[in-house]
């Protein structure tokens, strides 16, 4: 009998503290279930929009479409994987974010490479920041 009272008291204390089971009666997990992470393209586009790049702000040129702009970061990551610098990347015409009727100033392109790296290949963020510091662009 003594053990039964102790067990009931322990169960009551645990229930009041919210331990052991959730409201459905199932055993509660030790860690919360992971939230689905945002797609890199969404993260990059939100950051690029929030950056208010000067070369896109004057209204004289068309702001690049999502598909145009999100094509670049995976290519930048591939070049960073190959140990190329940001300056080298932006010296390549096919890796510089400029379209037929939209353009990006070099200073804004540096910002885009950093934002793209953070979204698509964060392991290179430190390298990109250092490249930009070394070039005087960050």
């Amino acid at each position: 009998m003594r053990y039964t009272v102790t067990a009931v008291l322990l169960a009551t204390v645990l229930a009041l503290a919210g331990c052991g089971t959730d409201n459905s009666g199932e055993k509660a997990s030790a860690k919360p279930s992971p939230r689905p992470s945002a797609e890199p393209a969404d993260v990059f586009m939100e950051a690029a929009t929030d950056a208010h790049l000067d070369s896109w702000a004057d209204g004289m040129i068309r702001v690049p479409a999502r598909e145009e702009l999100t094509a670049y970061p995976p290519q930048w990551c591939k070049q960073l994987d190959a140990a190329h610098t940001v300056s080298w990347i932006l010296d390549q015409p096919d890796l510089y974010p400029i379209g037929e009727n939209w353009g990006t100033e070099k200073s804004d392109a540096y910002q885009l490479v950093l934002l793209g790296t953070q979204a698509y290949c964060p392991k290179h963020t430190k390298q990109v920041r250092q490249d930009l510091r070394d070039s005087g662009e960050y």
Side-chain angles (χ1 to χ4, degrees):
M1 169 106 166
R2 191 158 139 190
Y3 293 109
T4 306
V5 172
T6 304
V8 169
L9 286 173
L10 181 59
T12 304
V13 169
L14 289 174
L16 290 174
C19 299
T21 61
D22 61 16
N23 292 336
S24 67
E26 294 180 15
K27 192 160 193 138
S29 63
K31 24 182 178 167
S33 57
R35 292 183 351 193
S37 56
E39 292 294 317
D42 295 334
V43 173
F44 174 60
M45 288 304 298
E46 183 177 341
T49 300
D50 290 347
H52 302 288
L53 302 176
D54 291 337
S55 57
W56 298 347
D58 63 10
M60 299 299 293
I61 58 170
R62 176 180 66 83
V63 175
R66 176 186 175 92
E67 295 77 30
E68 293 171 313
L69 198 54
T70 57
Y72 287 103
Q75 296 176 60
W76 296 334
C77 293
K78 184 178 177 182
Q79 297 306 319
L80 291 165
D81 285 340
H84 292 294
T85 65
V86 174
S87 295
W88 183 90
I89 290 169
L90 293 180
D91 283 342
Q92 309 310 306
D94 59 332
L95 297 176
Y96 190 86
I98 191 163
E100 288 181 28
N101 60 354
W102 58 274
T104 307
E105 293 175 7
K106 196 76 144 196
S107 60
D108 289 341
Y110 289 128
Q111 177 78 12
L112 286 173
V113 172
L114 178 59
L115 297 174
T117 302
Q118 291 170 328
Y120 284 82
C121 51
K123 68 181 181 181
H124 291 298
T125 299
K126 185 176 178 181
Q127 173 195 342
V128 168
R129 281 195 177 115
Q130 190 59 52
D131 286 350
L132 296 177
R133 283 186 190 110
D134 291 347
S135 69
E137 298 299 330
Y138 186 72

